[in-house]
Amino acid sequence: MRTQVAIIGAGPAGLLLSHLLHLQGIESVVLETRSRDEIESTIRAGVLEQGTMDILNETGVGARMRAEGALHHGFELAFDGRRHRIDLTALTGKAITVYAQHEVIKDLVAARTEAGAQMLFGVRDVAVHGVETDKPYVTFTQDGEEQRIDADFIAGCDGFHGVTRPAMPQEGRNDYQRVYPFGWFGILVEAPPSAPELIYARHERGFALVSTRSPTVQRMYFQCDPKDNADNWSDDRIWAELHARLENRDGWRVTEGKIFQKNIVAMRSFVSTPMQSGRLFLAGDAAHIVPPTGAKGMNLAVSDVRLLATGLDAFYRRGSSDLLDRYTNDALKRIWRAEYFSWWMTSMLHTFADASPFQREVQRAELENVVNSCALSTALAENYVGAF
Ligand code: FAD
Ligand code: DHB
């Protein structure tokens, strides 16, 4: 088999890259270890920045997002028993949309299928070869048969645990990492929304987040031990914890309902550079991870592949590799700002077991500053909507 760009991984990065390349007249093949059903049902991100919405709309895959996603003009920060609204639109002129990542995946898979794309699901033993030559290729097995795809370029969009980052030459690599001593316990609940906008709460017992998915399904998270097991948490224990962390003076309470999914995710900040070597380019979680507090991971995957698609377009249309050569540098500017923001939100809102009384008071003072200072609220809002 031969193609122009072999894409490893059918997450938001891989599928959107394939879609953008198709619109530019560039052929690709997408290889994915999981089944189509699995990628279309794995619950992950929920918040799309304006720039992400724009690109989905501009490239013809935004109709369901516009119809079913919820446009949010603000969110709340809750601490010390009070809730404070951050008015995103008043502060930045922009908004965010709450629309689940797996719905974006469904929309992209549908568009690629309709365009007759080659997407191979359930592949095994994916390996990349010859990335330092201009004849790279990928080998894999499908239905027990060994296969090979020759390509001009390989895009590593296979997430944090994929095979493409480890395949990069180790010499000259720099990995930056911070692992947080806590995780997020996430639940899906059958219930009406508890509040019209998302609530990020800091409490002595730990962070909590009230998000939404639809008028009948809600998404909530709370800080937990990353090594804990979701089975240790009965529904009653989960509700007691959420009520305790979200208690506030105006008597507002989170609305309970049937919990139909529970999972725990670990939290880390991670950047691996360079994001390219020869004909292999990494995008999205394959190259970097942010803790979910800033809601940036999927949005960064989208901005990476936007740059990569532009670089590949310049290569095929004008024979220029200038943009491809600059890909790592160009992508890292946005990535490090998002790393900073996600670290900041995480540090400001979570409880650190080893924090001294002084550090705890300073953390509260920081939140007070953010909600009372127009400059700090604006900085928070600009970062959250991805204003620059
Ligand atoms: P992935 O989505 O991980 O996709 C990689 C794909 O590659 C997978 O389908 C995988 O099966 C496949 N793969 C792996 N190995 C191979 C292989 N060897 N061969 C072929 N295929 C392979 N981000 C936001 O922007 N906003 C949010 O609100 C937000 N909330 C989040 C909440 C939680 C609880 C979590 C866990 C994440 C959240 N994120 C959020 C982050 C976001 O989900 C990720 O950053 C995003 O999925 C990255 O997309 P990706 O395509 O780079 O990687
Ligand atoms: C969701 C996830 C996030 O990481 C976040 O910051 C806000 C919302 C969500 O899944 O709805």
Side-chain angles (χ1 to χ4, degrees), residues 44-47 184 198 200 209 211-213 219 221 292-295:
R44 292 185 76 180
V47 172
W184 272 16
L198 271 57
Y200 289 81
L209 169 59
S211 181
T212 184
R213 281 293 177 270
R219 180 74 164 146
Y221 301 96
T293 327

Side-chain angles (χ1 to χ4, degrees), residues 8-14 31-34 39 43-48 101 123 126 157-163 184 219 221 263 265 283-286 292 295-301:
I8 321 286
L31 298 177
E32 167 61 53
T33 43
R34 295 185 298 159
I39 64 162
I43 307 297
R44 292 185 76 180
V47 172
L48 310 186
Q101 174 168 326
V123 302
V126 176
C157 301
D158 47 350
F160 185 66
H161 300 288
V163 294
W184 272 16
R219 180 74 164 146
Y221 301 96
N263 70 326
V265 292
D285 279 13
K296 286 283 166 256
M298 176 174 157
N299 293 298
L300 276 184

Side-chain angles (χ1 to χ4, degrees), residues 8-302:
I8 321 286
L15 290 170
L16 182 62
L17 178 62
S18 178
H19 178 59
L20 296 176
L21 293 179
H22 166 69
L23 297 179
Q24 293 166 185
I26 301 168
E27 229 180 63
S28 65
V29 175
V30 180
L31 298 177
E32 167 61 53
T33 43
R34 295 185 298 159
S35 68
R36 178 174 173 178
D37 269 2
E38 271 177 279
I39 64 162
E40 290 190 342
S41 59
T42 305
I43 307 297
R44 292 185 76 180
V47 172
L48 310 186
E49 290 175 357
Q50 182 96 44
T52 301
M53 298 185 292
D54 291 346
I55 195 163
L56 298 177
N57 282 327
E58 284 158 16
T59 62
V61 286
R64 227 161 49 88
M65 173 190 70
R66 284 194 303 280
E68 295 171 26
L71 195 65
H72 284 214
H73 295 283
F75 68 84
E76 291 187 334
L77 285 177
F79 58 96
D80 290 347
R82 278 195 293 264
R83 295 191 287 154
H84 308 261
R85 181 159 192 264
I86 302 292
D87 190 331
L88 297 172
T89 306
L91 293 166
T92 68
K94 297 188 181 196
I96 53 113
T97 289
V98 181
Y99 185 62
Q101 174 168 326
H102 67 279
E103 302 296 346
V104 176
I105 297 271
K106 281 188 210 165
D107 297 339
L108 287 167
V109 171
R112 294 309 294 122
T113 305
E114 201 181 317
Q118 291 235 58
M119 289 179 288
L120 308 180
F121 294 104
V123 302
R124 293 278 167 269
D125 312 318
V126 176
V128 299
H129 311 269
V131 297
E132 302 304 328
T133 73
D134 56 6
K135 291 191 173 50
Y137 63 98
V138 183
T139 54
F140 59 99
T141 51
Q142 195 180 27
D143 304 325
E145 296 226 345
E146 214 171 286
Q147 309 268 3
R148 167 174 171 151
I149 300 180
D150 291 281
D152 299 332
F153 295 96
I154 299 173
C157 301
D158 47 350
F160 185 66
H161 300 288
V163 294
T164 55
R165 190 179 64 253
M168 288 282 215
Q170 289 312 300
E171 206 186 306
R173 290 210 70 67
N174 280 309
D175 286 356
Y176 305 83
Q177 171 155 256
R178 179 181 177 120
V179 177
Y180 297 87
F182 39 73
W184 272 16
F185 196 114
I187 57 170
L188 280 171
V189 186
E190 269 171 32
S194 293
E197 295 178 336
L198 271 57
I199 303 172
Y200 289 81
R202 175 200 179 272
H203 189 276
E204 246 74 299
R205 299 180 68 93
F207 168 77
L209 169 59
V210 179
S211 181
T212 184
R213 281 293 177 270
S214 74
T216 54
V217 174
Q218 309 314 315
R219 180 74 164 146
M220 296 172 206
Y221 301 96
F222 57 92
Q223 176 182 349
C224 67
D225 178 344
K227 292 190 212 77
D228 206 344
N229 185 328
D231 295 337
N232 293 336
W233 288 78
S234 67
D235 292 7
D236 285 349
R237 186 176 170 211
I238 291 171
W239 289 120
E241 196 60 43
L242 281 169
H243 287 307
R245 295 188 190 189
L246 291 161
E247 69 177 1
N248 66 99
R249 293 182 197 170
D250 61 16
W252 173 88
R253 271 168 77 82
V254 68
T255 308
E256 292 188 22
K258 184 169 170 253
I259 298 174
F260 64 93
Q261 200 189 88
K262 304 176 190 178
N263 70 326
I264 292 178
V265 292
M267 312 247 297
R268 77 172 76 221
S269 298
F270 174 76
V271 181
S272 183
T273 64
M275 290 167 64
Q276 64 198 92
S277 182
R279 293 290 181 108
L280 173 61
F281 292 81
L282 304 182
D285 279 13
H288 44 76
I289 295 286
V290 285
T293 327
K296 286 283 166 256
M298 176 174 157
N299 293 298
L300 276 184
V302 167

Side-chain angles (χ1 to χ4, degrees), residues 327-386:
Y327 169 69
T328 295
N329 276 350
D330 289 350
L332 280 178
K333 286 184 197 132
R334 183 152 201 277
I335 291 162
W336 274 114
R337 283 206 310 266
E339 290 286 344
Y340 161 72
F341 177 64
S342 306
W343 164 83
W344 181 47
M345 284 283 275
T346 302
S347 313
M348 190 162 59
L349 290 163
H350 289 73
T351 309
F352 289 78
D354 59 355
S356 65
F358 174 82
Q359 284 167 319
R360 280 201 288 274
E361 290 307 318
V362 165
Q363 190 187 38
R364 277 153 39 109
E366 181 168 34
L367 277 166
E368 286 287 349
N369 270 351
V370 166
V371 298
N372 288 305
S373 150
C374 184
L376 287 178
S377 295
T378 307
L380 177 74
E382 284 173 342
N383 278 282
Y384 194 77
V385 299

